[in-house]
Amino acid sequence: MSLLRTLLALLPGPLLLAACGGDAPADGRPAARPLFEDVTERAGLDVPLTCGGAPFVKTSILEVNGTGAALLDVDGDDDLDVLLVDGSTHAKVLAGEPVALHLFLNMGPVENEGVVDGVPRFARAEDTGLVMSGWPAGVAFGDVDRDGRPDLVVGGHGEDALFLNRTADGPPRFEKHPLPGRTGPLDWTTSVGLADADGDGLLDLVLVRYLELDPAAIPAGDVEGVPCRFEGHPVLCGPHGLPPQPDVFLRGLPGPPWFEVATEEVGLDAPPAYGLGLLFTDLDTDGDVDLYVANDSVDNHLYRNDGTGRFEEVGALSGAAADMAGRAQAGMGVTTADYDRDGDLDLVVTNFSAEANTLYRGEGGLAFRDVSAAAGLAAASRPLLGWGVLLADLDADGLHDLVFSNGHVYPEADAHGTTSAYAQPLVLLPGLPDGRFGGNAFPDERLHRGRAAVCGDLDGDGDLDLLVVRLDDTPRLFLNRTDAPERQTLVLLRGDATTGTDAVGATLLLETDLGRRALLVTGASSFQSQGDRRLHLALRPGETLRAAEVRWPGGSVEALDPGTLRPGREVLVERGAGASVRRSLETRP
């Protein structure tokens, strides 16, 4: 069909991303090879995920958003494990059947007939206690009970739950606790995020809510007399016409029940919206965490923290509530990074098909400007429907690249005469030195019903690997083959007992001979997910790091020896104790 050819035309050949963004690196490094290799089956992560059960028949909006994923060290062995949230079906929800979340432990590379191929193997953990009712969706992690182990929060339709990590020396085990803030059985939490908003050392929790939907009474054909159609074809109904739900703020407590509702008290008083994506971190680098919510079909919300844990909604004033023409878009996923290396954080939001994904460039403070067209995002994303989004230096050349996980909500998008398609390509836009992004360089031409996406160093070589969740399908694990630990540094920021160890919102500020840079610890990002919390640093060829400091939550600043952050190592920075080397990064076969 004509659209499918249009989508594939976005994938130029050869499908390679050079180490420095060009064909022949000038510093003598070897020529580029495909940046990512699909190792899903070898790694043992080819587990089918459910979201309605019938990929090409979708009757409810509950079946189309998909589920999230997290990359975290559950068992304290210093490598990243994988948590995959599974969904459900209408029949199972109505029957009250529980849903088990999938936890896979990272066992490291495995020797086979005397050869180690560098691919980490994952073993499913059994009897973990990670079981929920309803239809799970989003996940985040953090040390809620301050025992040194990461705990999990999972939200969904029908239940939100806290899972305290009780893993000691044996197999992983979690203790389930209900979360407050639900007003009824139809509440639908999409994304969740943990951070300390008021500086008391306890993690607070944001529950992003979508809309009210009764699985026993699914609207069909029309809502309040308005037909549910996509480009002339009858489709499932929503979100328009269905009641949006307000987001919820839960203040952290030092013991059971661990959280209490404080939504009105802290000022989360924006009108109910169709919330999907979440950032809960320090977006203006002033020492306290702010909140950004990507909303479906209405203006996005941006809440500024006044330093005491109270918020003011400033979305319209910030310039990040809508596109450059002031039009609300159908926001799905969101991420942040300092892509243009000016010390200010920027935002990227994925949107519906026929809407470009939006790049909001930070102008200082909480002021943003839509530069999507000028940066090259508009043409690359307009035919697609984006969900998970990553803004990271994937090829370790000192420039941020963009990854979009794409897939339509309507199977009917494959019908004749439409301007989109149900399954869509993964998109990788390499960062360019002039602040723009290049054409799609993802080395895999297959189409996917993509949803969540997270990245992190799963094999210990310093570069960022990619995990993509797909609708009613297995996830895909793409191992990063940059394999250049000598150009990369991983930095883990850890707070103290007073402020909490997670350090969400802490900013690593760098001065180089090419300018100022900022790296930020986030409490949630992409779409319904949370990736590797370690900061990833690579410099431009010939770039010199001159100074480094951490701005901790609360605003205090701690200078670091820039020599400690030199490439080829993973570094731990503890508040008040400086930086120390955790390990050397190693090239994998």
Side-chain angles (χ1 to χ4, degrees), residues 428-507:
L428 165 61
L429 306 182
L432 303 177
D434 61 2
R436 296 181 301 113
F437 293 90
N440 189 5
F442 201 90
D444 191 320
E445 296 189 18
R446 291 173 298 178
L447 304 181
H448 306 268
R449 299 184 298 275
R451 292 301 187 264
V454 288
C455 67
D457 180 17
L458 290 164
D459 58 357
D461 64 353
D463 49 37
L464 300 177
D465 308 303
L466 173 64
L467 180 70
V468 177
V469 175
R470 304 188 297 173
L471 191 69
D472 288 308
D473 208 337
T474 60
R476 306 311 298 178
L477 174 60
F478 294 96
L479 211 60
N480 192 323
R481 291 308 193 184
T482 297
D483 296 337
E486 73 281 359
R487 304 206 310 269
Q488 305 177 77
T489 308
L490 293 177
V491 184
L492 175 62
L493 300 183
R494 182 178 294 163
D496 56 25
T498 301
T499 59
T501 59
D502 288 88
V504 175
T507 308

Side-chain angles (χ1 to χ4, degrees), residues 521-545:
V521 181
T522 59
S525 65
S526 188
F527 176 70
Q528 298 186 155
S529 300
Q530 185 170 344
D532 193 346
R533 184 168 283 172
R534 294 170 296 183
L535 304 178
H536 175 259
L537 170 64
L539 300 176
R540 297 286 294 148
E543 185 178 10
T544 301
L545 181 60

Side-chain angles (χ1 to χ4, degrees), residues 125-475:
E126 305 291 349
D127 301 320
T128 60
L130 296 171
V131 178
M132 294 185 67
S133 62
W135 198 308
V139 61
F141 61 86
D143 189 4
V144 173
D145 57 0
R146 309 212 297 180
D147 66 353
R149 294 185 291 258
D151 309 302
L152 291 164
V153 172
V154 183
H157 188 288
E159 185 179 26
D160 303 320
L162 164 67
F163 294 96
L164 294 179
N165 189 341
R166 299 307 190 202
T167 305
D169 296 327
R173 183 175 64 87
F174 289 83
E175 177 183 285
K176 185 178 179 180
H177 294 260
L179 287 173
R182 299 192 71 87
T183 60
L186 304 185
D187 287 350
W188 182 356
T189 301
T190 52
S191 291
V192 295
L194 289 159
D196 180 9
D198 52 9
D200 64 354
L202 300 172
L203 289 176
D204 307 303
L205 174 61
V206 173
L207 307 174
V208 173
R209 292 272 167 80
Y210 194 38
L211 54 80
E212 183 176 311
L213 182 72
D214 185 351
I218 301 169
D222 66 86
V223 176
E224 297 181 346
V226 178
C228 304
R229 304 182 75 82
F230 171 70
E231 298 188 357
H233 299 277
V235 294
L236 60 88
C237 294
H240 291 294
L242 301 179
Q245 296 184 323
D247 302 325
V248 177
F249 185 93
L250 302 181
R251 179 186 290 115
L253 300 175
W258 302 108
F259 295 99
E260 64 181 3
V261 178
T263 309
E264 294 184 5
E265 183 178 343
V266 303
L268 261 67
D269 53 2
Y274 303 112
L276 287 176
L278 168 66
L279 283 174
F280 192 16
T281 195
D282 187 5
L283 292 172
D284 52 4
T285 63
D286 65 350
D288 52 52
V289 293
D290 310 295
L291 175 63
Y292 185 90
V293 181
N295 294 318
D296 187 357
S297 306
V298 296
D299 281 358
N300 302 321
H301 292 154
L302 176 56
Y303 292 92
R304 176 172 53 203
N305 192 328
D306 69 358
T308 70
R310 285 193 55 83
F311 295 91
E312 177 188 8
E313 208 287 312
V314 296
L317 293 174
S318 74
D323 69 8
M324 63 187 305
R327 295 175 299 231
Q329 296 176 291
M332 310 293 180
V334 59
T335 193
T336 184
D338 177 17
Y339 94 95
D340 54 355
R341 298 165 52 99
D342 64 354
D344 297 318
L345 295 171
D346 313 295
L347 300 172
V348 181
V349 180
T350 54
N351 297 305
F352 204 79
S353 60
E355 299 174 346
N357 293 339
T358 310
L359 170 61
Y360 297 106
R361 189 174 67 193
E363 304 283 294
L366 287 179
F368 297 90
R369 186 159 63 95
D370 180 354
V371 296
S372 310
L377 269 68
S381 61
R382 197 175 299 278
L384 307 174
L385 196 160
W387 299 89
V389 53
L390 305 171
L391 182 56
D393 186 0
L394 298 171
D395 57 345
D397 67 347
L399 300 172
H400 280 76
D401 312 301
L402 267 170
V403 170
F404 300 122
S405 175
N406 307 296
H408 218 283
V409 296
Y410 305 132
E412 293 82 1
D414 281 338
H416 179 72
T418 63
T419 59
S420 193
Y422 191 34
Q424 300 180 359
L426 292 167
V427 169
L428 165 61
L429 306 182
L432 303 177
D434 61 2
R436 296 181 301 113
F437 293 90
N440 189 5
F442 201 90
D444 191 320
E445 296 189 18
R446 291 173 298 178
L447 304 181
H448 306 268
R449 299 184 298 275
R451 292 301 187 264
V454 288
C455 67
D457 180 17
L458 290 164
D459 58 357
D461 64 353
D463 49 37
L464 300 177
D465 308 303
L466 173 64
L467 180 70
V468 177
V469 175
R470 304 188 297 173
L471 191 69
D472 288 308
D473 208 337
T474 60

